[in-house]
Amino acid sequence: MKTWFKSGTPWIWLTGGAMTLCMVMVIGLLLLIGVRGFSHFWPAAIVETTYTAPGAEPMRLLGELSRSETLTAAQIRESGVEVAEDQLFVTRHLLKQGTRDQLGRDFVWYLADYMGAWHYPQDALMLERREWGNFYGYPVELREGDAVIARGADLPRELAARVKRSNDLFEQIRRIERKDIGDINMRLERIRLAERRLELRDDVPAAEVQAQKAEFEQTRARLDAEYLVLQGKLDQLYLDMRRDTLVAEIMDGRQVEVSLANIVRASQPNAMGLPSKLAYYGERLWEFIAGYPREANTEGGIFPAIFGTVTMVFVMSIMVTPFGILAAIYLREYAKQGPLLRLIRVSVYNLAGVPSIVFGVFGLGFFVYFIGGGIDRLFYPESLPAPTFGTPGLFWVSLTLALLTLPVVIVATEEGLARIPRTVREGSLALGATKAETLWRIVVPQATPAMMTGLILAIARAAGEVAPLMLVGVVKLAPTLPIDGHFPFIHLERKIMHLGFHIYDVGFQSPNVEAARPLVYATALTLVIIIVALNMSAVAIRNHLREKYRSESD
């Protein structure tokens, strides 16, 4: 046994076992969040059954089976539910019955012992709505105003066509509100700021001030007229969108009206074939990736969060890379070795261990309030007291994360510089090159793969941070993206959404936890995929540079 230990074989097996365990855990985690998250978009069957609680009248249930679990009978009794005395275990089902505006709750637990036979009616209807969550029921008739348009077998086809019409009108409304009216509001705001800037100046002649103000008034009057035209168009579009109404029967037998203006998608999952289900799944998955959130982030898509995360990582990389590399080059190549340099290195290493929330507090106090407030006083006095850069935003988020990841880039770059053989430097100097030429043409290019390694580690850490971001610019819902068609096109002062914060908000702050649970898994997997994609891009660049400089050195 002693010889076996000395041979090193046990340590090889331990290392291999640890690596295997890590791989199994990582793959298992990815499978868990993938199955729990992306299965949410598959059209689930709608169940109809009866529920007869002790001493109560039978009631009809209709909805999707969310999940089931088996508990001890004692646990159920402690919750106040009556269970037979000789029963040891109880199975219960969580039913997503939706229709929150009529029934009060989306999700309800029901004991399996009191449920009747399950049926899957072909005509059961699921409506995905813009408000109040999903709706489950049976279609009765479709109305245009007060006139009945369709009933019976013709209703699903007519409903699909009119829902599509309603969604087309909704897209027109959203385009007008976000683009056209947003553009008018921005130009009005610029006029207001120009007027304010003119008032703050004392060197402009009175006649010129009056002339510019008259020009501003003309422009404002023209924009107001454009706004009135758009408002009239919006009113007509809203009126058209509210034209149609669906009458449906819900599970307690009542007939309720649902405006088609509130319907995103109508489907009958029990009547769908496999191709229809695949098309439905693809449509919902695309909406999740490319759409905007609804219902306090518990429905809809995560595109603003994806866009904000990627933009933040790019801006952070642009900031941290030159600062980190130049600092490492100075420390390694130019700084005088001694106690002071060792103290600086220890400080850099310790900076990597500071809790990220401390960086957030520092960023809020120093970057946002001190530097941002100073920028506002110097360059945007006409906007005060409303802050421009003196408030959390994309620039301060990226700068805080750049500071957070700076030690990683410095250490990785220093390690890369240290691995360049001394003979390479001496050979270059012996051939007549200066120290700067040797550094920038020989040493730094060969250390580039190590710099890219530092950048990869920085991206991985920055994309996954949440705590500091909440203080310096990430919000629950951002009205606009940080990049648009208005000059200067990249708006660093705007607040952004972030996938990590989206997971925190949906998972822990959502008023409807059960509805938000699948989105937490799906968003987490999306964040992992984005981090892997960014890292793989950086790894590909690093490998390309490594091969390039290796061939040049050969």
Side-chain angles (χ1 to χ4, degrees):
M1 182 63 73
K2 190 174 180 180
T3 307
W4 186 60
F5 270 102
K6 285 185 176 178
S7 67
T9 303
W11 317 122
I12 295 175
W13 278 101
L14 280 174
T15 304
M19 289 294 296
T20 305
L21 183 62
C22 291
M23 292 297 294
V24 169
M25 291 174 65
V26 170
I27 294 173
L29 178 63
L30 293 178
L31 285 176
L32 173 68
I33 60 177
V35 170
R36 292 286 185 89
F38 286 159
S39 63
H40 167 67
F41 307 109
W42 187 258
I46 301 177
V47 178
E48 181 193 295
T49 184
T50 57
Y51 188 79
T52 310
E57 293 292 328
M59 57 183 293
R60 183 175 63 172
L61 302 181
L62 186 70
E64 296 177 6
L65 177 64
S66 181
R67 68 176 188 272
S68 303
E69 63 183 21
T70 299
L71 304 173
T72 63
Q75 288 178 290
I76 299 297
R77 291 190 193 98
E78 288 174 359
S79 65
V81 179
E82 186 177 343
V83 179
E85 290 296 331
D86 57 344
Q87 194 168 356
L88 297 179
F89 297 96
V90 178
T91 299
R92 64 177 185 174
H93 304 293
L94 182 62
L95 198 67
K96 183 180 181 181
Q97 60 190 24
T99 325
R100 188 169 67 243
D101 51 331
Q102 301 293 332
L103 303 175
R105 288 186 295 172
D106 279 317
F107 293 83
V108 180
W109 286 101
Y110 293 102
L111 299 188
D113 295 341
Y114 303 144
M115 299 177 79
W118 289 21
H119 306 284
Y120 298 92
Q122 296 288 302
D123 59 338
L125 181 70
M126 191 278 283
L127 302 177
E128 187 177 342
R129 300 184 294 181
R130 293 189 174 88
E131 295 176 350
W132 299 106
N134 288 359
F135 176 94
Y136 298 93
Y138 297 96
V140 177
E141 61 186 26
L142 188 61
R143 297 176 184 169
E144 180 179 323
D146 295 330
V148 177
I149 300 301
R151 278 181 177 162
D154 295 336
L155 196 150
R157 180 177 52 79
E158 188 65 27
L159 176 63
R162 291 182 178 249
V163 167
K164 182 178 182 305
R165 170 187 171 277
S166 175
N167 285 331
D168 290 343
L169 292 173
F170 179 78
E171 287 300 322
Q172 292 181 38
I173 290 172
R174 192 167 67 170
R175 187 164 52 250
I176 290 174
E177 290 179 338
R178 289 190 172 179
K179 184 176 182 302
D180 299 338
I181 293 183
D183 181 61
I184 289 176
N185 289 335
M186 177 166 288
R187 285 189 284 171
L188 286 172
E189 176 65 11
R190 286 181 175 173
I191 290 174
R192 185 188 71 81
L193 294 177
E195 281 184 326
R196 175 67 178 154
R197 196 179 304 118
L198 194 62
E199 292 172 357
L200 294 176
R201 293 180 58 183
D202 299 329
D203 56 341
V204 182
E208 185 177 345
V209 170
Q210 293 301 323
Q212 290 194 22
K213 284 191 175 182
E215 185 179 348
F216 291 150
E217 286 301 323
Q218 290 178 359
T219 307
R220 184 178 286 114
R222 190 180 70 252
L223 292 174
D224 289 340
E226 292 180 14
Y227 175 80
L228 288 176
V229 172
L230 290 174
Q231 186 61 51
K233 193 174 180 181
L234 271 181
D235 293 341
Q236 185 59 46
L237 287 172
Y238 273 115
L239 194 63
D240 291 344
M241 195 170 68
R242 293 172 184 143
R243 184 193 65 181
D244 301 325
T245 306
L246 174 70
V247 179
E249 179 184 321
I250 59 176
M251 72 180 200
D252 60 5
R254 286 181 291 156
Q255 291 191 357
V256 298
E257 295 183 357
V258 182
S259 172
L260 264 60
N262 192 27
I263 298 176
V264 177
R265 189 177 292 105
S267 61
Q268 293 179 311
N270 296 345
M272 283 183 178
L274 182 59
S276 300
K277 289 186 176 181
L278 289 174
Y280 180 91
Y281 181 85
E283 183 183 346
R284 289 197 66 193
L285 183 60
W286 174 249
E287 182 196 15
F288 175 72
I289 300 297
Y292 285 79
R294 303 192 310 269
E295 295 238 37
N297 288 344
T298 59
E299 299 285 349
I302 57 171
F303 176 72
I306 294 175
F307 194 88
T309 304
V310 174
T311 305
M312 181 199 72
V313 169
F314 272 112
V315 176
M316 182 275 299
S317 302
I318 292 172
M319 291 179 179
V320 73
T321 304
F323 280 109
I325 290 174
L326 289 176
I329 289 174
Y330 177 76
L331 293 175
R332 189 72 196 176
E333 302 292 336
Y334 288 100
K336 183 179 179 181
Q337 304 297 321
L340 179 60
L341 189 61
R342 286 197 294 273
L343 179 64
I344 293 174
R345 280 206 175 92
V346 170
S347 301
V348 170
Y349 297 155
N350 288 334
L351 197 62
V354 174
S356 58
I357 188 65
V358 176
F359 284 93
V361 174
F362 175 79
L364 179 66
F366 183 71
F367 292 146
V368 177
Y369 292 148
F370 182 70
I371 297 182
I375 291 174
D376 282 350
R377 287 189 291 275
L378 284 175
F379 300 104
Y380 304 96
E382 68 276 8
S383 299
L384 294 175
T388 303
F389 277 91
T391 183
L394 169 62
F395 185 70
W396 305 125
V397 171
S398 304
L399 191 57
T400 303
L401 287 180
L403 183 63
L404 178 70
T405 56
L406 187 63
V408 178
V409 178
I410 291 176
V411 172
T413 305
E414 269 208 279
E415 291 297 323
L417 293 172
R419 283 201 297 269
I420 306 300
R422 184 180 182 83
T423 54
V424 173
R425 291 181 172 84
E426 292 175 349
S428 176
L429 294 173
L431 291 173
T434 63
K435 184 177 180 179
E437 289 172 337
T438 301
L439 177 64
W440 294 108
R441 296 188 179 184
I442 305 295
V443 177
V444 170
Q446 294 192 33
T448 305
M451 300 173 190
M452 293 302 299
T453 301
L455 183 60
I456 291 169
L457 296 174
I459 289 174
R461 180 168 186 190
E465 283 292 344
V466 174
L469 310 185
M470 295 188 292
L471 301 176
V472 288
V474 170
V475 292
K476 176 187 179 76
L477 285 172
T480 53
L481 298 176
I483 299 177
D484 60 19
H486 299 288
F487 183 81
F489 310 115
I490 301 177
H491 303 275
L492 296 175
E493 77 282 4
R494 288 184 182 173
K495 297 177 175 56
I496 61 169
M497 294 180 67
H498 183 268
L499 285 171
F501 183 74
H502 188 82
I503 294 170
Y504 164 76
D505 176 66
V506 174
F508 298 98
Q509 304 294 320
S510 172
N512 194 342
V513 177
E514 291 293 343
R517 189 191 303 270
L519 295 184
V520 173
Y521 290 111
T523 308
L525 185 60
T526 305
L527 178 59
V528 171
I529 291 172
I530 288 176
I531 292 175
V532 170
L534 291 172
N535 282 340
M536 292 303 294
S537 302
V539 167
I541 295 172
R542 183 187 63 183
N543 292 341
H544 172 73
L545 293 173
R546 181 179 293 163
E547 292 301 321
K548 175 184 176 183
Y549 293 120
R550 180 181 298 168
S551 61
E552 287 181 356
S553 63
D554 291 342

